[in-house]
Amino acid sequence: DTVDARSLPADQAGMAKALDENTVFGRVTPQQKRDMVGALQSHGHTVAMTGDGVNDVLALKDADIGVSMGSGSEATRAVAQIVLLNNSFSTLPSVVAEGRRVIGNITRVASLFLVKTVYSVLLAVLVVCFQIEYPFLPRHLTLLSTLTIGVPAFFLALAPNKERARPHFVRRVMRYAIPGGVVAGTATFVTYMIARHYYTGSGALDAETSSATLTLFLVSMWVLAIIARPYTWWRVCLVAAMGAAFLLVLVVPWLQEFFALKLVGASMPWTAVGIAAVAAVALEFLWRWVDRRFPCD
């Protein structure tokens, strides 16, 4: 049934209750439209308002999302966030889908980049505190950044994404980036310190940095595998292709020389793999615990 707006309560609480109990209202004045928007917002609702006339301007301006028709008045088009140039509501689902794709993909990509920022800062601090050489050459960082961030971020940023947009963007990104970066940086530094005591003589520095690079790559790949969830066939192929590319660098002699990767012996490389495996388990535990302990929905 249609409710006559003239019978609606004047106070916000009463109007909010009437709006929850009814769906269709008639003879609504411009001020009442604005009051309805405020009443719904007072109950925690995200309010969208559509209109094409001057009478809708006040409500369009106060609404969380204002949608105006392209054929509407100049005033409504000026205050609306979205203008439907084809005057068709059928356009809105594609608009919502595009917004969800952008927000969801930016969240994934931002997490990847900030994990690198966190472990880079942590490694720099640890190197200064222990008064030792930095564990990577620029070519190592180029390889790591390309395979674990650059190429995956390109595909993840442009991929379709229908996940519902959630609030608290910065908090959601940081709660994953900080534990991921700390675990990756710690595991890499532990491997590097063990390698420094394991290797001696000429060529030791190359072997030490190569072991640290192996650990950091494997941990970063696990971060990528977590961020790429839920899996689809192309996301699985993306993660697998990055792993295959690193393996190719390890087995092709001239690529080994170009990227200064020299895995000496069997004990230390397998130790690096084992440390990376422990770090991966720690990442799974930490990120699941963070989801339960600090929900952002």
Side-chain angles (χ1 to χ4, degrees), residues 39-278:
L40 289 170
Q41 289 174 333
S42 68
H43 277 204
H45 295 292
T46 299
V47 183
M49 171 68 189
T50 63
D52 58 0
V54 176
N55 291 339
D56 302 316
V57 170
L58 293 176
L60 279 169
K61 187 175 181 180
D62 287 357
D64 298 293
I65 304 173
V67 182
S68 172
M69 296 297 177
S71 60
S73 67
E74 184 176 345
T76 56
R77 296 199 304 271
V79 300
Q81 285 85 17
I82 299 174
V83 178
L84 301 177
L85 297 178
N86 61 356
N87 302 307
S88 175
F89 284 111
S90 63
T91 308
L92 286 177
S94 62
V95 173
V96 174
E98 183 66 15
R100 288 181 175 180
R101 185 181 74 86
V102 171
I103 294 173
N105 290 347
I106 287 178
T107 302
R108 293 179 187 274
V109 173
S111 298
L112 275 180
F113 277 92
L114 287 177
V115 165
K116 178 187 175 183
T117 301
V118 172
Y119 73 62
S120 297
V121 172
L122 178 60
L123 285 172
V125 171
L126 291 173
V127 165
V128 171
C129 292
F130 283 82
Q131 297 290 299
I132 57 177
E133 297 88 351
Y134 193 70
F136 303 113
L137 298 174
R139 62 188 65 188
H140 295 148
L141 297 176
T142 298
L143 179 64
L144 291 169
S145 297
T146 300
L147 297 182
T148 62
I149 299 175
V151 175
F154 175 81
F155 289 99
L156 291 175
L158 299 178
N161 191 334
K162 296 182 180 180
E163 296 177 7
R164 184 174 181 178
R166 294 181 291 171
H168 311 296
F169 171 80
V170 174
R171 181 180 175 186
R172 284 189 292 112
V173 171
M174 295 305 296
R175 69 178 185 159
Y176 293 136
I178 291 176
V182 170
V183 170
T186 303
T188 302
F189 191 75
V190 169
T191 298
Y192 183 52
M193 294 300 291
I194 294 175
R196 283 176 61 86
H197 288 85
Y198 182 82
Y199 292 115
T200 58
S202 61
L205 182 59
D206 288 343
E208 294 163 5
T209 57
S210 297
S211 297
T213 301
L214 177 60
T215 295
L216 183 56
F217 174 78
L218 293 175
V219 178
S220 298
M221 281 294 293
W222 197 259
V223 171
L224 174 62
I226 294 175
I227 290 176
R229 297 170 184 171
Y231 293 130
T232 57
W233 68 267
W234 68 266
R235 288 177 180 170
V236 173
C237 291
L238 176 63
V239 175
M242 297 303 99
F246 188 80
L247 182 61
L248 184 66
V249 172
L250 292 180
V251 298
V252 177
W254 71 269
L255 286 176
Q256 286 185 33
E257 183 178 355
F258 180 80
F259 287 106
L261 287 177
K262 183 180 180 182
L263 296 176
V264 179
S267 299
M268 193 60 229
W270 280 110
T271 300
V273 172
I275 293 173
V278 173

